[in-house]
Amino acid sequence: MKALLVIMDGLGDRTDKTPLNVANTPCLDSFAKKGMTGLMYPIGIGFIPGSDTAHLAILGYDPFVYYKGRGAFEALGAGFELKDGDVAFRVNMSTVDDNWNVLDRRAGRNDFGMKELFAAIDNMEIDGVNIRVTHTVEHRGAALFSGANLSVKVSNTDPHRENAKVEHAGALDKSGEHIAKVLNEFTRRAYDILKNHPANKERAAKGIKVANIPLLRGPGECFRPEPFEKKFGVKAVCVAGGALYKGVARYLSFYTPDIEGATGTKNTNLVAKKNAVLKYMNDYDFVFAHLKGTDSCGHDGDFEGKKAFIERADKEFFDGLLDKFDVVVVTGDHSTPCVAKRHSMDPVPLLFYARDIRPDETTRLCEAQAYKGGLGRILGKDLVPIIMDYINKSNMFGE
Ligand code: ZN
Ligand code: ZN
């Protein structure tokens, strides 16, 4: 039996007029009618989930035990191997002025010349530490620090908002002193290289914001949890474009192929992703697919964009796919309300379909109905065990 779990990142929203409430989604509607809906608290009631901790929880791993920093997932997703003692970071290529005031943390979300800019600051050696960086999508990338005496006890250089200065990395305890020094020196050298780089001159000439500084955040370290296949007894594959999601899946030992056309953005090729799911479902029992566009639109406060992405997903991704599976779950990893432009603690609507499910009276996957759904309110960590019973992979408790 085959199960499909689709996470539409940041799917939930606020107010009575949410993108899901008003979107035209005939395919999802038909499965909501046959199945049941409900609400999920990815981490716990009142918690604002990060995408990293939320995915761990929803895939059945307690983030309070297994979360070792976002950077580890970004680096794994970008194709780096993490060794014991390494420290990895998420990187944003950003735009700063001469005084290092951050003008745009995402350098216009434009990847023109980005591969070359990342390559220009790759492979630095600073005080015995080797620093690798690589580009993933848009303004995003990962950095890997390798050397002696490193630690994750270091603060971010990313101020997390615009019109603020680049942060000076500081040690959070004594173990972080060396890496903080190296990180500050890396940032200074990178700025010197990037500010005069030809790719930035071209960006400026085209009217694109320059990408003249790497902002690092989310230091993470190597850790090997029990593989998902072993824990739950199913062969599992991940179909995603974004590095973070591929990284979480790799961390849990999912097979995580690179999907041609999957970009981890709202312009991703949804047909290519659907075809990838159809291809891999032959060899895998549990398919985890991730769609990022909903979250990006939520952060940008782009209500119409979020609604349009949901409608496009219904047509290009869900239609012709959901009926191939014995169990289908469609939900989000958290809410990213367009009115808030950030993640929020609001529970996410969830659609659960299985061939022999008890259907409820809800007819759509949306906030307006999810609260009356038959699944009620569940926690993220409950989801995989529920799926596993419907595909006969669960064990009885007691006799
Ligand atoms: Zn997310
Ligand atoms: Zn987000």
Side-chain angles (χ1 to χ4, degrees):
M1 293 180 82
K2 306 279 177 182
L4 172 67
L5 166 61
V6 182
I7 305 276
M8 297 186 77
D9 208 288
L11 181 64
D13 219 292
R14 280 183 181 173
T15 81
D16 59 335
K17 193 186 158 203
T18 68
L20 274 179
N21 282 349
V22 299
N24 179 30
T25 53
C27 178
L28 287 174
D29 293 356
S30 72
F31 278 82
K33 281 182 196 123
K34 290 189 279 188
M36 57 168 118
T37 66
L39 286 169
M40 178 171 70
Y41 290 95
I43 310 270
I45 295 172
F47 281 89
I48 302 175
S51 286
D52 44 15
T53 50
H55 274 81
L56 273 180
I58 294 167
L59 293 172
Y61 289 76
D62 182 348
F64 295 101
V65 175
Y66 295 101
Y67 181 59
K68 298 288 170 181
R70 175 170 187 155
F73 304 136
E74 295 277 359
L76 286 169
F80 286 133
E81 292 289 331
L82 249 76
K83 300 184 304 298
D84 287 330
D86 290 350
V87 176
F89 295 86
R90 159 67 187 268
V91 181
N92 266 24
M93 275 293 198
S94 308
T95 313
V96 291
D97 66 13
D98 295 344
N99 298 317
W100 285 24
N101 280 309
V102 177
L103 305 176
D104 188 336
R105 285 180 65 237
R106 302 182 179 97
R109 268 197 208 280
N110 189 311
D111 66 0
F112 179 85
M114 221 34 122
K115 281 259 176 288
E116 295 153 80
L117 292 165
F118 272 91
I121 58 168
D122 186 19
N123 235 338
M124 277 190 217
E125 289 281 337
I126 300 172
D127 278 353
V129 178
N130 176 259
I131 302 163
R132 298 293 319 273
V133 295
T134 191
H135 176 235
T136 54
V137 293
E138 293 182 327
H139 54 283
R140 305 184 183 97
L144 183 68
F145 286 47
S146 307
N149 298 323
L150 297 178
S151 156
V152 294
K153 298 291 184 186
V154 60
S155 64
N156 300 329
T157 54
D158 185 343
H160 285 270
R161 58 193 174 92
E162 265 101 38
N163 302 314
K165 275 214 168 242
V166 174
E167 297 275 348
H168 192 79
L172 301 178
D173 70 20
K174 201 141 179 60
S175 71
E177 284 175 6
H178 183 51
I179 191 168
K181 214 173 113 217
V182 172
L183 172 51
N184 288 323
E185 177 62 16
F186 164 76
T187 307
R188 196 189 61 73
R189 287 194 203 175
Y191 173 76
D192 285 342
I193 293 167
L194 295 173
K195 71 175 175 190
N196 297 315
H197 193 280
N200 266 332
K201 297 218 162 96
E202 272 189 74
R203 285 174 72 98
K206 285 174 175 288
I208 305 168
K209 288 175 183 167
V210 295
N212 56 5
I213 204 157
L215 297 180
L216 273 61
R217 68 181 206 258
E221 61 191 334
C222 180
F223 191 75
R224 294 271 166 247
E226 184 184 17
F228 187 89
E229 289 193 14
K230 227 172 137 205
K231 188 170 159 101
F232 295 106
V234 293
K235 286 188 73 189
V237 64
C238 162
V239 172
L244 173 63
Y245 315 98
K246 288 160 86 170
V248 173
R250 282 192 184 134
Y251 181 74
L252 305 179
S253 307
F254 278 60
Y255 176 56
T256 307
D258 290 324
I259 313 291
E260 181 93 46
T263 59
T265 72
K266 61 186 170 193
N267 303 317
T268 195
N269 185 339
L270 291 171
V271 175
K273 279 176 120 161
K274 169 160 85 176
N275 289 335
V277 172
L278 290 169
K279 172 178 159 194
Y280 290 111
M281 73 176 289
N282 294 317
D283 292 324
Y284 293 85
D285 321 301
F286 184 94
V287 184
F288 156 50
H290 179 267
L291 308 180
K292 178 72 178 167
T294 29
D295 183 57
S296 304
C297 294
H299 282 287
D300 293 341
D302 179 5
F303 177 90
E304 288 303 326
K306 193 167 174 181
K307 172 174 164 252
F309 185 82
I310 292 166
E311 292 181 340
R312 188 163 77 87
D314 194 76
K315 214 183 296 163
E316 296 176 12
F317 185 76
F318 292 120
D319 192 30
L321 178 66
L322 301 188
D323 58 354
K324 308 288 190 295
F325 284 86
D326 302 292
V327 175
V328 168
V329 177
V330 181
T331 186
D333 57 339
H334 49 76
S335 296
T336 308
C338 296
V339 289
K341 299 188 182 180
R342 61 163 175 82
H343 300 184
S344 73
M345 57 75 217
D346 303 276
V348 284
L350 186 143
L351 161 61
F352 200 110
Y353 164 79
R355 294 201 196 280
D356 51 356
I357 203 167
R358 316 168 184 163
D360 64 13
E361 288 176 2
T362 61
T363 56
R364 302 198 68 220
L365 171 65
C366 63
E367 291 84 349
Q369 295 196 16
Y371 75 94
K372 343 181 232 200
L375 199 65
R377 285 160 171 76
I378 64 168
L379 295 174
K381 72 177 177 66
D382 301 329
L383 184 60
V384 169
I386 298 173
I387 295 172
M388 289 304 157
D389 186 32
Y390 275 110
I391 57 171
N392 297 326
K393 291 285 183 184
S394 208
N395 294 317
M396 190 159 58
F397 174 49
E399 300 204 9

